Amino acid sequence: MPKLWNETIDAHRAAVRAAVLDTTAALVAEHGLTSVTMSRIAKDSGIGRATLYKYFPDVDSILLAWHERQISHHLDHLAKVRDQTEGAGERLEAVLRAFALISHTSRSHHDGDLAAFLHRDEQVNQAQRRLHGMVEALLAEGARTGAVRGDIAPAELASYCLHALTAAGDLPSKAAAHRLVAVTLAGLQPGPADAPEGSPQADGTGDSTPPPDHHGHHSAHDHHLDG
């Protein structure tokens, strides 16, 4: 069989598969997980049921394939964000912001039944390990350059960051997700013990903490997060 013919067949199969995944995701988002059937997927995808069954045996297998594609896209996006950013601290912040926005957007698109189903997928565990490794490496790089605190192991800090920013899925807006990133980054800031010898931070002269007011307490403004 000619190579061009093979490539045409492969492209057609990939297009059909992508259409099935997109259609299924849209149906679940609109009608809920339990309302979606193979017949409805075939109809809305513009293919016959017999053709659909050649690609997938059931709805669950379609959802798992869709989820695998989503996870792959998310990880590729985070890697691209990392590779397009210069500077250890800047790379870390860019990746954490991108992850927080993914968490915010993804969680809001999943109903409870679908989220519970998808998070039983082994792909989630594999993706979490890859993501943890990516953030851990960025934190280790940041610690070496002084951009990140060095008194806590990068693996522990990676868990802190990812657990904190997963909560962006429960926030009402992207602005709130960005504020959560700012709070998370604040916990990564190096202290005096992490600063190079001779720097203002190392000898204590760089402390920018405001002095207490005349009652011996910091003013209310110091405890206010601008919303």
Side-chain angles (χ1 to χ4, degrees), residues 113-154:
D113 290 339
L114 178 59
F117 170 77
L118 293 178
H119 283 82
R120 295 197 300 267
D121 184 7
E122 175 59 25
Q123 290 290 334
V124 173
N125 295 327
Q126 295 177 15
Q128 287 174 340
R129 288 192 290 271
R130 287 179 59 191
L131 178 59
H132 192 282
M134 181 189 300
V135 174
E136 182 180 346
L138 290 170
L139 287 162
E141 179 187 21
R144 287 194 298 271
T145 62
V148 172
R149 62 190 303 166
D151 59 333
I152 299 177

Short mmCIF file of all heavy atoms in Angstrom, two decimals, residues 113-154:
data_model
loop_
_atom_site.label_atom_id
_atom_site.label_comp_id
_atom_site.label_asym_id
_atom_site.label_seq_id
_atom_site.Cartn_x
_atom_site.Cartn_y
_atom_site.Cartn_z
N ASP A 113 -19.55 13.62 39.41
CA ASP A 113 -19.44 12.24 38.96
C ASP A 113 -18.26 12.06 38.01
O ASP A 113 -17.51 11.09 38.10
CB ASP A 113 -20.73 11.81 38.25
CG ASP A 113 -21.90 11.67 39.21
OD1 ASP A 113 -21.64 11.51 40.41
OD2 ASP A 113 -23.05 11.73 38.74
N LEU A 114 -18.10 13.00 37.09
CA LEU A 114 -17.00 12.89 36.13
C LEU A 114 -15.66 13.03 36.82
O LEU A 114 -14.72 12.28 36.54
CB LEU A 114 -17.15 13.96 35.05
CG LEU A 114 -16.04 14.00 34.00
CD1 LEU A 114 -15.94 12.66 33.27
CD2 LEU A 114 -16.27 15.13 33.01
N ALA A 115 -15.54 13.99 37.73
CA ALA A 115 -14.28 14.18 38.44
C ALA A 115 -13.89 12.93 39.22
O ALA A 115 -12.74 12.51 39.21
CB ALA A 115 -14.38 15.39 39.37
N ALA A 116 -14.87 12.33 39.89
CA ALA A 116 -14.59 11.12 40.67
C ALA A 116 -14.15 9.99 39.75
O ALA A 116 -13.24 9.22 40.07
CB ALA A 116 -15.84 10.71 41.46
N PHE A 117 -14.81 9.87 38.60
CA PHE A 117 -14.45 8.81 37.65
C PHE A 117 -13.03 9.02 37.11
O PHE A 117 -12.22 8.10 37.09
CB PHE A 117 -15.45 8.79 36.49
CG PHE A 117 -15.04 7.91 35.35
CD1 PHE A 117 -15.17 6.54 35.43
CD2 PHE A 117 -14.50 8.46 34.19
CE1 PHE A 117 -14.77 5.72 34.37
CE2 PHE A 117 -14.10 7.67 33.12
CZ PHE A 117 -14.24 6.29 33.22
N LEU A 118 -12.73 10.24 36.68
CA LEU A 118 -11.44 10.50 36.05
C LEU A 118 -10.28 10.35 37.03
O LEU A 118 -9.18 9.93 36.64
CB LEU A 118 -11.42 11.91 35.46
CG LEU A 118 -12.37 12.15 34.28
CD1 LEU A 118 -12.28 13.59 33.82
CD2 LEU A 118 -12.03 11.20 33.12
N HIS A 119 -10.49 10.67 38.28
CA HIS A 119 -9.38 10.62 39.22
C HIS A 119 -9.10 9.21 39.73
O HIS A 119 -8.20 9.01 40.55
CB HIS A 119 -9.61 11.61 40.36
CG HIS A 119 -9.31 13.03 39.93
ND1 HIS A 119 -10.23 13.78 39.24
CD2 HIS A 119 -8.19 13.77 40.02
CE1 HIS A 119 -9.69 14.96 38.96
NE2 HIS A 119 -8.47 14.97 39.41
N ARG A 120 -9.83 8.23 39.21
CA ARG A 120 -9.44 6.84 39.45
C ARG A 120 -8.49 6.36 38.36
O ARG A 120 -7.97 5.25 38.43
CB ARG A 120 -10.69 5.94 39.47
CG ARG A 120 -11.64 6.22 40.62
CD ARG A 120 -12.60 5.04 40.81
NE ARG A 120 -13.41 4.80 39.62
CZ ARG A 120 -14.62 5.33 39.43
NH1 ARG A 120 -15.13 6.15 40.31
NH2 ARG A 120 -15.31 5.03 38.33
N ASP A 121 -8.28 7.20 37.36
CA ASP A 121 -7.45 6.85 36.21
C ASP A 121 -5.98 6.83 36.60
O ASP A 121 -5.47 7.77 37.22
CB ASP A 121 -7.70 7.87 35.10
CG ASP A 121 -6.95 7.55 33.81
OD1 ASP A 121 -6.35 6.46 33.73
OD2 ASP A 121 -6.98 8.39 32.90
N GLU A 122 -5.27 5.77 36.25
CA GLU A 122 -3.84 5.66 36.54
C GLU A 122 -3.06 6.78 35.86
O GLU A 122 -1.99 7.18 36.33
CB GLU A 122 -3.31 4.30 36.08
CG GLU A 122 -1.81 4.11 36.21
CD GLU A 122 -1.28 4.29 37.63
OE1 GLU A 122 -2.05 4.10 38.59
OE2 GLU A 122 -0.09 4.63 37.78
N GLN A 123 -3.60 7.31 34.76
CA GLN A 123 -2.93 8.42 34.09
C GLN A 123 -2.74 9.61 35.03
O GLN A 123 -1.77 10.36 34.92
CB GLN A 123 -3.74 8.86 32.87
CG GLN A 123 -3.73 7.86 31.72
CD GLN A 123 -2.37 7.79 31.05
OE1 GLN A 123 -1.59 8.73 31.07
NE2 GLN A 123 -2.09 6.65 30.45
N VAL A 124 -3.68 9.79 35.94
CA VAL A 124 -3.58 10.90 36.89
C VAL A 124 -2.35 10.73 37.77
O VAL A 124 -1.59 11.68 38.00
CB VAL A 124 -4.85 10.99 37.76
CG1 VAL A 124 -4.68 12.03 38.85
CG2 VAL A 124 -6.05 11.34 36.89
N ASN A 125 -2.14 9.51 38.27
CA ASN A 125 -0.98 9.26 39.12
C ASN A 125 0.32 9.49 38.37
O ASN A 125 1.28 10.08 38.91
CB ASN A 125 -1.02 7.83 39.68
CG ASN A 125 -2.20 7.61 40.60
OD1 ASN A 125 -2.62 8.52 41.31
ND2 ASN A 125 -2.74 6.40 40.61
N GLN A 126 0.39 9.02 37.14
CA GLN A 126 1.60 9.23 36.34
C GLN A 126 1.83 10.70 36.08
O GLN A 126 2.97 11.20 36.15
CB GLN A 126 1.47 8.47 35.01
CG GLN A 126 1.41 6.96 35.16
CD GLN A 126 1.23 6.27 33.81
OE1 GLN A 126 1.41 6.86 32.75
NE2 GLN A 126 0.84 4.99 33.84
N ALA A 127 0.77 11.43 35.76
CA ALA A 127 0.90 12.87 35.50
C ALA A 127 1.34 13.61 36.75
O ALA A 127 2.17 14.54 36.68
CB ALA A 127 -0.42 13.42 35.00
N GLN A 128 0.80 13.22 37.90
CA GLN A 128 1.19 13.87 39.14
C GLN A 128 2.67 13.67 39.44
O GLN A 128 3.35 14.59 39.92
CB GLN A 128 0.33 13.35 40.30
CG GLN A 128 -1.10 13.86 40.26
CD GLN A 128 -1.98 13.23 41.32
OE1 GLN A 128 -1.66 12.16 41.87
NE2 GLN A 128 -3.10 13.86 41.61
N ARG A 129 3.17 12.48 39.15
CA ARG A 129 4.60 12.23 39.38
C ARG A 129 5.45 13.08 38.44
O ARG A 129 6.48 13.64 38.85
CB ARG A 129 4.91 10.73 39.19
CG ARG A 129 4.36 9.84 40.30
CD ARG A 129 4.94 8.44 40.22
NE ARG A 129 4.43 7.70 39.07
CZ ARG A 129 3.33 6.95 39.10
NH1 ARG A 129 2.60 6.87 40.20
NH2 ARG A 129 2.95 6.27 38.02
N ARG A 130 5.04 13.18 37.17
CA ARG A 130 5.79 14.02 36.23
C ARG A 130 5.74 15.48 36.62
O ARG A 130 6.76 16.20 36.57
CB ARG A 130 5.22 13.84 34.82
CG ARG A 130 5.55 12.52 34.17
CD ARG A 130 4.94 12.42 32.78
NE ARG A 130 5.39 13.50 31.91
CZ ARG A 130 4.85 13.77 30.72
NH1 ARG A 130 3.83 13.04 30.28
NH2 ARG A 130 5.31 14.75 29.99
N LEU A 131 4.57 15.94 37.02
CA LEU A 131 4.42 17.33 37.41
C LEU A 131 5.23 17.63 38.67
O LEU A 131 5.91 18.66 38.75
CB LEU A 131 2.94 17.63 37.66
CG LEU A 131 2.60 19.03 38.15
CD1 LEU A 131 3.06 20.08 37.14
CD2 LEU A 131 1.09 19.16 38.38
N HIS A 132 5.18 16.72 39.64
CA HIS A 132 5.94 16.90 40.87
C HIS A 132 7.43 16.99 40.55
O HIS A 132 8.15 17.84 41.08
CB HIS A 132 5.67 15.75 41.83
CG HIS A 132 6.18 15.98 43.22
ND1 HIS A 132 7.51 15.83 43.56
CD2 HIS A 132 5.53 16.36 44.36
CE1 HIS A 132 7.66 16.09 44.84
NE2 HIS A 132 6.49 16.43 45.34
N GLY A 133 7.90 16.12 39.66
CA GLY A 133 9.30 16.13 39.28
C GLY A 133 9.70 17.43 38.60
O GLY A 133 10.80 17.96 38.83
N MET A 134 8.81 17.96 37.74
CA MET A 134 9.09 19.22 37.06
C MET A 134 9.24 20.37 38.06
O MET A 134 10.21 21.15 38.01
CB MET A 134 7.98 19.54 36.06
CG MET A 134 8.20 20.83 35.29
SD MET A 134 6.76 21.34 34.28
CE MET A 134 6.59 19.94 33.18
N VAL A 135 8.28 20.48 38.99
CA VAL A 135 8.31 21.57 39.96
C VAL A 135 9.48 21.38 40.93
O VAL A 135 10.15 22.35 41.31
CB VAL A 135 6.97 21.64 40.72
CG1 VAL A 135 7.03 22.67 41.84
CG2 VAL A 135 5.84 21.97 39.75
N GLU A 136 9.74 20.14 41.32
CA GLU A 136 10.87 19.88 42.22
C GLU A 136 12.19 20.33 41.59
O GLU A 136 13.05 20.93 42.26
CB GLU A 136 10.93 18.39 42.57
CG GLU A 136 12.04 18.03 43.54
CD GLU A 136 12.08 16.55 43.86
OE1 GLU A 136 11.09 15.85 43.54
OE2 GLU A 136 13.09 16.09 44.43
N ALA A 137 12.37 20.05 40.30
CA ALA A 137 13.59 20.46 39.61
C ALA A 137 13.70 21.97 39.56
O ALA A 137 14.81 22.54 39.73
CB ALA A 137 13.63 19.87 38.21
N LEU A 138 12.60 22.66 39.33
CA LEU A 138 12.62 24.12 39.30
C LEU A 138 12.95 24.69 40.68
O LEU A 138 13.68 25.69 40.79
CB LEU A 138 11.26 24.65 38.83
CG LEU A 138 10.93 24.40 37.37
CD1 LEU A 138 9.47 24.75 37.09
CD2 LEU A 138 11.84 25.22 36.46
N LEU A 139 12.42 24.07 41.72
CA LEU A 139 12.71 24.53 43.08
C LEU A 139 14.17 24.30 43.44
O LEU A 139 14.80 25.14 44.09
CB LEU A 139 11.80 23.81 44.07
CG LEU A 139 10.33 24.27 44.06
CD1 LEU A 139 9.44 23.22 44.72
CD2 LEU A 139 10.19 25.62 44.77
N ALA A 140 14.71 23.16 43.03
CA ALA A 140 16.12 22.88 43.29
C ALA A 140 17.01 23.90 42.58
O ALA A 140 18.00 24.39 43.15
CB ALA A 140 16.47 21.46 42.82
N GLU A 141 16.65 24.24 41.35
CA GLU A 141 17.40 25.25 40.60
C GLU A 141 17.29 26.60 41.32
O GLU A 141 18.29 27.33 41.45
CB GLU A 141 16.84 25.36 39.19
CG GLU A 141 17.54 26.41 38.33
CD GLU A 141 16.86 26.62 36.99
OE1 GLU A 141 15.66 26.27 36.86
OE2 GLU A 141 17.53 27.15 36.08
N GLY A 142 16.09 26.93 41.77
CA GLY A 142 15.90 28.18 42.49
C GLY A 142 16.68 28.25 43.77
O GLY A 142 17.22 29.31 44.14
N ALA A 143 16.77 27.13 44.49
CA ALA A 143 17.54 27.09 45.73
C ALA A 143 19.03 27.31 45.45
O ALA A 143 19.73 28.00 46.21
CB ALA A 143 17.31 25.77 46.45
N ARG A 144 19.52 26.74 44.36
CA ARG A 144 20.94 26.90 44.01
C ARG A 144 21.29 28.34 43.67
O ARG A 144 22.39 28.81 43.95
CB ARG A 144 21.29 25.98 42.83
CG ARG A 144 21.37 24.51 43.16
CD ARG A 144 22.04 23.72 42.05
NE ARG A 144 21.31 23.78 40.79
CZ ARG A 144 20.35 22.94 40.44
NH1 ARG A 144 19.99 21.97 41.27
NH2 ARG A 144 19.73 23.07 39.28
N THR A 145 20.35 29.05 43.07
CA THR A 145 20.61 30.43 42.66
C THR A 145 20.20 31.45 43.73
O THR A 145 20.40 32.65 43.53
CB THR A 145 19.85 30.76 41.36
OG1 THR A 145 18.44 30.64 41.59
CG2 THR A 145 20.28 29.81 40.24
N GLY A 146 19.61 30.97 44.84
CA GLY A 146 19.20 31.89 45.89
C GLY A 146 17.82 32.48 45.70
O GLY A 146 17.39 33.34 46.47
N ALA A 147 17.09 32.03 44.68
CA ALA A 147 15.74 32.55 44.44
C ALA A 147 14.69 31.87 45.32
O ALA A 147 13.59 32.40 45.48
CB ALA A 147 15.37 32.38 42.97
N VAL A 148 15.04 30.71 45.86
CA VAL A 148 14.10 29.92 46.66
C VAL A 148 14.80 29.52 47.96
O VAL A 148 16.02 29.27 47.97
CB VAL A 148 13.64 28.65 45.89
CG1 VAL A 148 12.82 27.73 46.79
CG2 VAL A 148 12.85 29.04 44.65
N ARG A 149 14.06 29.44 49.01
CA ARG A 149 14.62 29.04 50.31
C ARG A 149 15.29 27.68 50.20
O ARG A 149 14.82 26.79 49.49
CB ARG A 149 13.52 29.00 51.37
CG ARG A 149 12.42 27.99 51.08
CD ARG A 149 11.23 28.16 52.02
NE ARG A 149 11.64 28.05 53.40
CZ ARG A 149 10.88 28.42 54.44
NH1 ARG A 149 9.68 28.95 54.21
NH2 ARG A 149 11.31 28.28 55.67
N GLY A 150 16.40 27.53 50.93
CA GLY A 150 17.16 26.29 50.86
C GLY A 150 17.09 25.45 52.11
O GLY A 150 17.79 24.44 52.21
N ASP A 151 16.26 25.85 53.07
CA ASP A 151 16.20 25.13 54.34
C ASP A 151 15.20 23.97 54.31
O ASP A 151 15.10 23.22 55.29
CB ASP A 151 15.84 26.08 55.48
CG ASP A 151 14.50 26.78 55.26
OD1 ASP A 151 14.11 26.95 54.08
OD2 ASP A 151 13.86 27.16 56.26
N ILE A 152 14.46 23.83 53.23
CA ILE A 152 13.49 22.74 53.10
C ILE A 152 13.76 22.03 51.79
O ILE A 152 14.04 22.66 50.77
CB ILE A 152 12.04 23.27 53.13
CG1 ILE A 152 11.76 23.97 54.46
CG2 ILE A 152 11.04 22.15 52.91
CD1 ILE A 152 10.38 24.59 54.54
N ALA A 153 13.69 20.72 51.77
CA ALA A 153 13.99 19.93 50.59
C ALA A 153 13.06 20.31 49.44
O ALA A 153 11.85 20.51 49.65
CB ALA A 153 13.86 18.44 50.89
N PRO A 154 13.58 20.40 48.22
CA PRO A 154 12.74 20.74 47.07
C PRO A 154 11.53 19.81 46.90
O PRO A 154 10.46 20.26 46.47
CB PRO A 154 13.70 20.62 45.89
CG PRO A 154 15.05 20.91 46.47
CD PRO A 154 15.01 20.32 47.84
#
